[in-house]
Amino acid sequence: MCRWLAYSGTPLILEEVLYRPKHSLIDQSLHARMGVETTNGDGFGIGWYATHARTPAVFHDVGPAWSNRNLQEIAGHVRAPLFFAHVRASTGTAVQQTNCHPFRHDRWMWMHNGAIAGFHQLRRSLLLGVDPALFPSIEGTTDSEAMFYLALTFGLDEDPPGAVARMVGYVERAADEHGVPAPMQMTVAVANGESLWAFRYASEGTPRSLYYSRRVDDLRALHPDTDFLKDVSDETRLVVSEPLGDLPGAWNEVPANTYGVVEPGSDRLQEFHPELP
């Protein structure tokens, strides 16, 4: 499938997270430990929010992240308080830039690991649920982008957790109508430039892996000699498909069928349940 990370907190040069950790996302593009595939070389993408712009910037390419000089150049010079990164292993759709995550619409970014079972069978029914005003903005052919535009249709601007719940409910109902069992397998990150939401859910069985970093003040107490921790605020958080290193006590697993919210002043985990739109 894929591997991804989302960062929110003290503005940081992207390479500090993308390249420098022992098991960085770049390392995971070649040597994933917890994914379905070890290698995630079917394209990549990064997206970030700058202080002077309302909408995020994105950069995609269809080659592997581990050898892309432009990615390394950008990561060494861009500083951002909130950014996404994703390395892709295709589940059957074409390897092309418009199929690379993160996806962007207006102020929103979205990325996904997992799959909709039977997507090619369900695709027409799912896309018919997208708001006609949003439909022309769909550029690629992935289940991930279809999920994004369904969530936008079902109220992402006003109620992100509810919109994602209604998206999943819509997919599961369509799958049931087509005789496709247990359609949804997902970890999803979505952000609007101020807040970050992360979801871990499966219609059946265990969802794909997802972890979040512990509070920075707790980590400073555990590891007072770690330089990185001295320079970031207590509200800094990472959400990742798999831990970026072996720092003891640094990572907590997101429980199955749960979503988390990272925003100024509060972080929280809540149970996640699909809803019918």
Side-chain angles (χ1 to χ4, degrees):
M1 301 261 171
C2 308
R3 304 280 84 185
W4 60 255
L5 71 80
Y7 173 90
S8 176
T10 299
L12 194 69
I13 295 289
L14 273 58
E15 73 174 2
E16 292 283 346
V17 171
L18 293 185
Y19 285 89
R20 294 190 179 179
K22 179 179 179 180
H23 190 47
S24 70
L25 193 70
I26 303 304
D27 179 67
Q28 291 176 35
S29 67
L30 266 173
H31 306 296
R33 300 170 182 172
M34 299 179 179
V36 175
E37 295 87 4
T38 301
T39 303
N40 297 275
D42 295 329
F44 67 87
I46 56 173
W48 66 93
Y49 292 90
T51 55
H52 62 277
R54 177 175 176 271
T55 58
V58 293
F59 171 65
H60 302 128
D61 204 349
V62 297
W66 65 77
S67 61
N68 193 283
R69 295 180 64 188
N70 290 329
L71 174 61
Q72 192 163 12
E73 181 73 12
I74 291 170
H77 290 81
V78 169
R79 183 186 302 272
L82 200 167
F83 57 86
F84 283 5
H86 186 282
V87 292
R88 183 173 185 244
S90 172
T91 56
T93 50
V95 178
Q96 60 193 44
Q97 284 197 21
T98 54
N99 283 346
C100 292
H101 311 221
F103 301 100
R104 173 184 62 187
H105 182 79
D106 194 39
R107 63 183 178 139
W108 291 98
M109 282 201 301
W110 174 283
M111 61 184 175
H112 167 236
N113 173 39
I116 296 176
F119 176 63
H120 294 292
Q121 180 181 349
L122 301 177
R123 184 168 181 260
R124 181 176 181 273
S125 295
L126 297 182
L127 292 179
L128 285 173
V130 175
D131 185 331
L134 292 169
F135 191 87
S137 297
I138 298 175
E139 296 185 316
T141 59
T142 63
D143 52 357
S144 306
E145 190 178 20
M147 291 163 60
F148 181 30
Y149 277 85
L150 285 169
L152 287 164
T153 296
F154 297 142
L156 192 63
D157 274 323
E158 297 80 25
D159 175 17
V164 175
R166 290 186 285 274
M167 176 274 292
V168 174
Y170 185 85
V171 170
E172 291 184 336
R173 181 174 63 187
D176 183 64
E177 292 170 352
H178 286 79
V180 176
M184 184 61 75
Q185 173 66 250
M186 73 175 205
T187 66
V188 163
V190 59
N192 61 6
E194 298 175 357
S195 301
L196 161 67
W197 294 262
F199 299 81
R200 185 182 183 216
Y201 175 79
S203 300
E204 185 177 287
T206 303
R208 298 290 181 254
S209 59
L210 194 64
Y211 293 81
Y212 64 97
S213 59
R214 286 187 61 179
R215 287 179 54 89
V216 171
D217 52 354
D218 290 341
L219 290 176
R220 285 197 193 100
L222 287 171
H223 305 284
D225 297 327
T226 302
D227 290 339
F228 168 77
L229 298 174
K230 299 174 184 177
D231 300 326
V232 297
S233 73
D234 289 350
E235 292 190 343
T236 295
R237 292 286 185 277
L238 275 160
V239 186
V240 297
S241 293
E242 54 189 79
L244 304 185
D246 300 323
L247 196 66
W251 302 98
N252 294 317
E253 185 176 17
V254 176
N257 303 335
T258 297
Y259 74 91
V261 186
V262 179
E263 57 190 359
S266 65
D267 301 334
R268 60 188 185 275
L269 289 171
Q270 303 279 350
E271 290 186 1
F272 178 80
H273 302 287
E275 301 175 5
L276 290 177

